[in-house]
Amino acid sequence: EPTPLVAPWNGGSGFFPKDNKEGISPLAATECVRFRPYRHVIELAGRTLAALSLKEKPKKEQKSAFLNAVRNEAPDGLLRWMDAAVILSDEDPSYPPLLGTGGNDGRLDFTNNFMQRLGEVFDIQSGGPKPQARDLLDAALMGVPTAALVDGAIGQFSPGSAGGPNAASGFEGDARVNPWDFILMLEGAALFAASAARRLESGSAAVLSAPFTVHCRLGTEGASALTDESDARGEIWMPIWNAHFTLEEILALLSEGRAALGARPVRDGLDFARAVARLGVDRGISAFQRYGFVMRLGKAFLATPLSRVAVRRNPQADLIDELERREWLGRVQRLARDEKAPGAFRAAAARLDAALFALTQRSDRAAVENVLRHVGRIEAMCAGSPKLREALVPVPALSYEWVRRAHDGGAEFQIALALAGLSLPREREGGRPYVGMRQHLAPVVFHGTDWDKNDYLVCWGTGALTRNLAAVLHRRRLEAARMNAEGEMLRSRSGARIEDVQRFLAGETDDRRIAELLSGLACVELEDHFVAPEVQDFAMPLPAYAVLKPFFASESVLRALGWLPPDRSLRLPAQIPARLAADDVATALQLAWQRLRALGVKLPGRKPPCAAGIPGSRLLAALTIPLAFAETGRLLRWLDLTPEFDVSEEDLDQPA
């Protein structure tokens, strides 16, 4: 006994003079017991239309009154269908995307086609099955091949059956449909009853709440574009389970099919993926198949499969919660959907969405790092655009968990982390106790609570990493001199390994990855006690680098290691970075050599090491990278292991 599915509020539903009557007329006239409920519902709809003097589909202002009139007398089956197809709220009717716009897709009415399909497998007058009904049912349920398919429409639900080019052995094919597929599909769709729900963040307006249905977030899928979202009707996450369910259990599952993030309901596909990663397996669901109702083939909407999402607990996805502080993530997403926003920003926001979606599915370090890099890109865009800063707030301060879960032990990450940890102590001015690396990347006050109108500290640009690091060094030297803290201008809460710096000097690292990681890690609240991964074999530093590095180290570290006497200072002469920037490495080494000898450091021979083949700009950038405490000690011990010699007055007076 089929559920009596009708949609007299739609044109083409069979109730109006110009509609196709092939399906509705036999059902309206039958005396068969199987179809008696259907006949009663058709009569009910006809009486309601006549009572309201409607001879064509209700206009917009008439539709709510007509729907209420039908509901007042509708039996349970029709009520269930109406709740799945259309929902009444305080304003105009709303339509869950699963059933188009109230049980139709453009000019295709689902209920009229449902009645026609019934006539293809049943004798409407007797109620018995037609000869081909069993073969078609085997094909629908078991995938058995059959030649009895009919030429009929199926709408948005099965685009592959719509015919057209390459649909058959010739150039084109007709639409071929199994009537049982359409019948069982709509019977199942009637179980997805929607309801009107009031969400606190939406004010007093009633919004649609349908099982597993959310707003589209197509930017998270490579097969879709961000521009598709404006035309899409929404997306639905279809649950997949492996155990046997009774109909009552399925109804209970669908009635509870609304996910939440904390205290708020999910809004879109990204939110749903986060909820799945947080809640894990529930009620035996093993996965969700995600579909987007996307405009394709002109103005036709098709249920487009996007991805299959496994249901499992993924703690990595919990990190996304931190990006919602001060509504940062929400602001980024809203601005990305503004047509007036810069195209580069919209593209960056779409890539961030895709990275966040991947983070809900993956638990590897690369997924966390990818999000960090995209977050850093967006803050870098804000640094160069006052208009973006008006619309967005700085990235909220992120916890150290981002470092723990993203660090892969590689040179690029360790170098970026060392640079991100730069912190120059300063007198409190406006509540800012430090000049951190982040202040050189974007006009952000310390701790990232707001944009800083005084952006004189920003010196990072879109150029090469080596040039930007030279600019950072210059800016920190000026700031340190103003604060009388020149010996601490490169003090860092973290540090790289000599092996990492050696790879950087050799050009074996990815400079772009370092820069993007640095922008993201600068937003993290780093911890002072971070310990760099241990290195089994000590990497012998490049002699030219080893001679110059003490001038680029924190004096407090040099004293803590017992290398620099308390009454001595090893401040960096301005000529050394200037000579390196000018690619005059030999002169820079000569200056450093003379200073170290004056300090009494044991040096190998009377002449500085040769630096042939080392670009001065890259050597300067390498020297700007802070070393870990233990690595600095190893470097200094290496200097002290060289042969001892006496320093004469003549040597000290030797010009650089």
Side-chain angles (χ1 to χ4, degrees):
E1 183 180 292
T3 303
L5 309 183
V6 295
W9 50 87
N10 291 332
S13 58
F15 288 91
F16 305 107
K18 295 183 180 180
D19 294 350
N20 186 322
K21 305 288 186 179
E22 292 180 10
I24 193 171
S25 294
L27 287 168
T30 186
E31 294 293 333
C32 172
V33 174
R34 182 193 293 271
F35 299 110
R36 187 177 296 164
Y38 222 128
R39 187 189 70 192
H40 291 164
V41 165
I42 293 172
E43 293 171 352
L44 165 63
R47 288 197 307 270
T48 308
L49 288 168
L52 297 178
S53 301
L54 293 173
K55 296 183 179 180
E56 57 183 16
K57 70 174 185 177
K59 303 296 184 184
K60 185 176 181 180
E61 61 274 8
Q62 300 171 310
K63 187 167 287 188
S64 293
F66 176 72
L67 288 167
N68 277 316
V70 174
R71 287 186 65 90
N72 289 340
E73 298 185 53
D76 291 343
L78 180 58
L79 280 175
R80 191 165 62 244
W81 162 254
M82 290 184 70
D83 286 342
V86 62
I87 186 168
L88 296 173
S89 61
D90 295 342
E91 302 173 356
D92 296 328
S94 302
Y95 308 107
L98 178 63
L99 291 168
T101 53
N104 70 308
D105 181 18
R107 299 177 61 184
L108 174 66
D109 184 83
F110 300 150
T111 59
N112 197 336
N113 277 267
F114 180 78
M115 291 183 274
Q116 293 176 45
R117 302 291 87 78
L118 287 174
E120 290 165 353
V121 295
F122 288 107
D123 183 326
I124 301 300
Q125 298 306 316
S126 68
K130 289 187 174 180
Q132 69 271 24
R134 177 172 292 277
D135 288 344
L136 289 169
L137 186 61
D138 287 343
L141 299 182
M142 304 299 178
V144 178
T146 179
L149 300 180
V150 300
D151 183 2
I154 199 167
Q156 65 182 18
F157 301 104
S158 182
S161 302
N166 299 319
S169 56
F171 288 104
E172 291 193 16
D174 297 328
R176 308 300 294 174
V177 176
N178 187 333
W180 279 114
D181 284 343
F182 199 92
I183 292 168
L184 297 175
M185 175 189 68
L186 285 191
E187 288 281 2
L191 303 180
F192 283 77
S195 63
R198 296 187 185 277
R199 297 181 182 170
L200 295 178
E201 65 269 25
S202 301
S204 60
V207 294
L208 187 64
S209 182
F212 305 117
T213 303
V214 291
H215 295 296
C216 266
R217 182 54 67 82
L218 298 178
T220 58
E221 292 297 326
S224 303
L226 191 64
T227 53
D228 289 329
E229 292 184 10
S230 58
D231 296 324
R233 285 176 176 164
E235 62 181 68
I236 188 168
W237 290 57
M238 288 293 192
I240 299 172
W241 58 87
N242 299 322
H244 293 287
F245 275 17
T246 65
L247 180 59
E248 289 75 16
E249 289 173 321
I250 293 175
L251 286 171
L253 173 67
L254 297 180
S255 68
E256 300 171 0
R258 297 171 185 88
L261 274 175
R264 70 169 176 85
V266 298
R267 294 184 294 250
D268 52 39
L270 178 57
D271 279 356
F272 206 110
R274 292 171 59 192
V276 170
R278 176 175 294 178
L279 297 177
V281 179
D282 189 24
R283 287 197 172 274
I285 299 175
S286 60
F288 285 94
Q289 177 60 51
R290 183 185 180 203
Y291 290 91
F293 296 95
V294 186
M295 187 180 289
R296 294 286 188 268
L297 298 175
K299 292 188 177 181
F301 286 87
L302 302 179
T304 306
L306 300 177
S307 58
R308 180 164 295 189
V309 178
V311 174
R312 61 184 179 86
R313 178 75 175 99
N314 182 9
Q316 304 287 60
D318 297 345
L319 293 173
I320 302 175
D321 294 349
E322 298 182 19
L323 297 176
E324 291 193 321
R325 296 172 185 166
R326 304 185 65 208
E327 297 187 8
W328 181 83
L329 183 58
R331 291 172 189 252
V332 169
Q333 293 167 343
R334 286 193 294 273
L335 183 60
R337 280 144 189 82
D338 185 347
E339 294 181 356
K340 297 181 181 180
F345 173 80
R346 299 180 70 190
R351 288 192 290 268
L352 174 61
D353 276 353
L356 291 172
F357 192 89
L359 182 58
T360 66
Q361 301 301 297
R362 295 164 48 189
S363 57
D364 56 286
R365 298 181 182 276
V368 183
E369 177 190 316
N370 199 26
V371 173
L372 270 176
R373 292 172 67 177
H374 286 298
V375 167
R377 286 174 185 169
I378 290 178
E379 177 138 314
M381 287 185 175
C382 292
S385 173
K387 290 186 176 180
L388 288 179
R389 295 201 295 273
E390 290 177 4
L392 301 176
V393 296
V395 177
L398 305 178
S399 72
Y400 198 73
E401 280 301 309
W402 288 86
V403 174
R404 290 194 178 96
R405 299 186 185 187
H407 202 322
D408 61 355
E412 288 91 347
F413 200 104
Q414 195 64 42
I415 290 172
L417 185 62
L419 291 168
L422 287 173
S423 57
L424 181 65
R426 62 183 293 177
E427 296 179 1
R428 291 185 175 270
E429 297 177 2
R432 298 181 304 175
Y434 295 98
V435 177
M437 185 67 187
R438 189 175 183 182
Q439 280 68 55
H440 301 307
L441 300 170
V444 181
V445 300
F446 192 74
H447 289 311
T449 54
D450 201 359
W451 299 114
D452 193 348
K453 296 180 180 179
N454 299 320
D455 58 354
Y456 70 94
L457 290 173
V458 178
C459 56
W460 197 275
T462 58
L465 175 64
T466 52
R467 188 171 66 186
N468 279 317
L469 288 179
V472 168
L473 177 66
H474 178 67
R475 175 57 59 188
R476 294 187 74 82
R477 284 188 68 253
L478 294 179
E479 190 70 6
R482 189 179 69 82
M483 296 159 43
N484 196 26
E486 293 175 271
E488 302 300 321
M489 64 180 178
L490 290 179
R491 190 183 72 171
S492 177
R493 296 181 176 182
S494 182
R497 301 162 298 197
I498 294 176
E499 177 186 340
D500 303 328
V501 178
Q502 297 282 64
R503 291 192 58 195
F504 178 83
L505 276 170
E508 298 174 358
T509 54
D510 184 344
D511 285 3
R512 180 179 178 181
R513 182 187 173 201
I514 293 173
E516 291 178 351
L517 269 173
L518 173 58
S519 296
L521 290 170
C523 302
V524 177
E525 293 186 321
L526 300 180
E527 297 180 358
D528 293 327
H529 61 268
F530 179 81
V531 179
E534 290 293 333
V535 180
Q536 296 298 327
D537 298 322
F538 174 60
M540 188 67 68
L542 195 69
Y545 170 83
V547 168
L548 289 166
K549 183 57 183 176
F551 296 93
F552 293 80
S554 166
E555 287 189 355
S556 60
V557 171
L558 298 180
R559 291 191 176 96
L561 290 167
W563 190 84
L564 184 67
D567 59 338
R568 304 294 294 273
S569 178
L570 193 67
R571 294 182 180 179
L572 174 65
Q575 300 97 318
I576 290 180
R579 290 295 89 204
L580 291 173
D583 206 21
D584 185 3
V585 180
T587 301
L589 282 169
Q590 185 68 30
L591 286 167
W593 189 265
Q594 184 175 353
R595 285 294 185 97
L596 289 174
R597 291 180 66 188
L599 190 67
V601 178
K602 303 171 185 178
L603 295 171
R606 293 177 173 269
K607 295 182 180 180
C610 177
I614 305 175
S617 58
R618 194 150 193 93
L619 180 55
L620 178 61
L623 292 165
T624 306
I625 301 169
L627 289 178
F629 184 86
E631 294 291 289
T632 303
R634 290 178 178 180
L635 178 74
L636 299 178
R637 286 196 299 273
W638 180 82
L639 284 174
D640 285 345
L641 286 174
T642 55
E644 184 176 359
F645 63 93
D646 295 328
V647 182
S648 66
E649 293 295 329
E650 181 181 353
D651 293 331
L652 288 175
D653 293 337
Q654 183 179 359

